[in-house]
Amino acid sequence: MKHILLFLSLLLSLNFSAQGIKTFVSHQTTEYPKSHLLDLYKSCFQDYMGAEHLVSDIEGVKAYLKEELNATDINDLPEWYYEPCGIKGRYVRVSLRTVKEGHITEDMLLDAFIRSANTKHPSVKSWSRRWHKIIGTIEKMNLNLPDYDREKQFIDSLLSVDKYAISHSADYREAYHPHYRIVERRIFENELKPLIDKKQTHRLLTPIKKDVLPEHSPNVFLVMYDAEIGKEPLLKAIKDYKVEIIYDYNIINGMALKKPDNKSLEETMQYFKKVEGVTNVEYDNIIRLTDPVKPKLEIK
């Protein structure tokens, strides 16, 4: 029973539901009626992949941010200060309005963006599989998005050559003037959100609150790996780091692992994010089986 519940927890934390996709798409097209398929795709890959590139040229990134801040009229920026990306909100778009109005400093936003960009991201092949699940649901919604077939073909051609990053559509840029930086959700909530919220209440399209983040096991975490690379590098890391395998799932490429007693959960998860072939490292969200809406499992 324990292994079944762990498997259920893994599926809940790593899989998109059709309803979740529909909720995101409906929200996006309602708040941004000028959205194209490109804009839905961009929000989803930001949610899954994070920032588009690793940051090695810090001075160049800093200069670009400063130039964008100087060139942007605050009256052209959207009213919101931050909004979650995509379906699960792993990353957050932080508007340059937060800097222009003095809620946070330029250096704070830059530092949060660079640290978020330089974390390990899933492979493009992994993202491609995820996107094809998302587009399968979008196609059933009959949205009548502009240039849909052409943009769908463009995205497919991009993914076929192991690329994924795109810009917003021209219609979206003209209508909404998007100027933001992508920040990993927990960095945002721990460091930036308290400063933004302290200064002024604001319009938030989808609320992001600490108390809605799912509870998780203090010791167990979940790891997914790329089937083409295999799990040998992961098994070596498990041995080297002295991690215990709680369960090795047969029908999906994933494991539930228990951290060593002398390491924190956060540092252990960060270590495994850097292991070759690992595509996702997730908290093992606690599920209450007595709650029909939020099933919960406690793992000690």
Side-chain angles (χ1 to χ4, degrees):
M1 175 61 74
K2 180 178 179 181
H3 292 159
I4 293 174
L5 296 177
L6 277 168
F7 177 66
L8 174 61
S9 175
L10 184 67
L11 290 180
L12 287 174
S13 65
L14 296 179
N15 286 343
F16 291 135
S17 69
Q19 186 56 50
I21 296 168
K22 290 177 181 178
T23 299
F24 157 71
V25 172
S26 296
H27 174 268
Q28 176 83 11
T29 53
T30 299
E31 293 290 343
Y32 302 105
K34 297 291 187 180
S35 291
H36 285 226
L37 180 66
L38 294 178
D39 305 300
L40 300 178
Y41 170 87
K42 186 176 181 72
S43 187
C44 288
F45 86 63
Q46 287 175 333
D47 173 31
Y48 189 73
M49 301 288 283
E52 298 174 17
H53 307 286
L54 295 177
V55 174
S56 56
D57 181 8
I58 294 176
E59 290 304 314
V61 171
K62 183 175 182 179
Y64 186 78
L65 175 59
K66 186 177 291 292
E67 179 182 350
E68 188 174 354
L69 283 165
N70 291 335
T72 302
D73 186 336
I74 193 169
N75 295 317
D76 289 337
L77 292 171
E79 296 178 9
W80 52 266
Y81 294 116
Y82 54 85
E83 66 174 4
C85 298
I87 299 159
K88 301 192 75 172
R90 293 185 180 94
Y91 288 81
V92 179
R93 292 173 174 175
V94 182
S95 172
L96 298 195
R97 178 179 287 276
T98 59
V99 176
K100 300 280 278 188
E101 292 187 1
H103 300 284
I104 60 176
T105 68
E106 180 181 335
D107 286 343
M108 287 176 183
L109 180 58
L110 182 70
D111 177 68
F113 167 70
I114 290 173
R115 282 187 286 131
S116 300
N118 286 346
T119 58
K120 181 179 174 62
H121 303 303
S123 68
V124 178
K125 288 183 179 179
S126 173
W127 160 241
S128 180
R129 291 192 293 268
R130 187 63 55 94
W131 168 247
H132 284 103
K133 292 179 183 178
I134 296 171
I135 194 64
T137 298
I138 291 176
E139 289 192 332
K140 295 175 184 177
M141 296 177 70
N142 298 316
L143 296 173
N144 196 29
L145 294 170
D147 299 324
Y148 178 87
D149 290 336
R150 181 180 63 82
E151 292 181 0
K152 180 176 181 292
Q153 185 177 11
F154 170 70
I155 292 169
D156 287 343
S157 66
L158 198 68
L159 293 172
S160 70
V161 293
D162 211 31
K163 296 181 179 179
Y164 69 94
I166 63 167
S167 300
H168 281 291
S169 67
D171 286 342
Y172 187 99
R173 293 196 303 272
E174 182 178 353
Y176 308 118
H177 307 283
H179 294 280
Y180 57 78
R181 291 297 182 271
I182 297 296
V183 177
E184 193 274 329
R185 181 170 183 146
R186 292 184 183 277
I187 293 175
F188 169 75
E189 293 202 338
N190 290 333
E191 301 175 23
L192 303 185
K193 183 174 183 289
L195 297 173
I196 298 170
D197 290 351
K198 182 179 179 181
K199 290 241 180 175
Q200 183 175 325
T201 57
H202 61 281
R203 170 178 173 265
L204 175 61
L205 300 181
T206 301
I208 303 178
K209 301 178 181 178
K210 284 188 178 180
D211 58 8
V212 302
L213 289 177
E215 298 175 74
H216 59 79
S217 166
N219 299 312
V220 176
F221 61 101
L222 308 170
V223 175
M224 297 290 285
Y225 58 89
D226 192 312
E228 294 185 6
I229 295 176
K231 62 182 176 181
E232 291 306 314
L234 176 58
L235 291 173
K236 182 178 184 304
I238 288 170
K239 181 179 179 181
D240 292 344
Y241 209 74
K242 297 181 173 56
V243 164
E244 177 185 349
I245 298 176
I246 299 297
Y247 200 71
D248 186 353
Y249 301 98
N250 293 321
I251 63 173
I252 57 174
N253 302 315
M255 296 184 184
L257 306 177
K258 184 177 181 181
K259 73 174 186 67
D261 292 338
N262 63 339
K263 301 288 185 181
S264 71
L265 182 61
E266 293 289 346
E267 65 181 312
T268 303
M269 291 175 67
Q270 287 300 321
Y271 174 84
F272 277 88
K273 285 180 180 180
K274 300 175 183 178
V275 172
E276 180 187 2
V278 168
T279 59
N280 274 296
V281 179
E282 298 274 348
Y283 289 103
D284 179 27
N285 293 332
I286 297 174
I287 303 173
R288 292 186 194 277
L289 296 181
T290 56
D291 186 335
V293 179
K294 286 180 161 184
K296 182 172 185 176
L297 166 68
E298 182 89 43
I299 300 176
K300 299 293 185 181

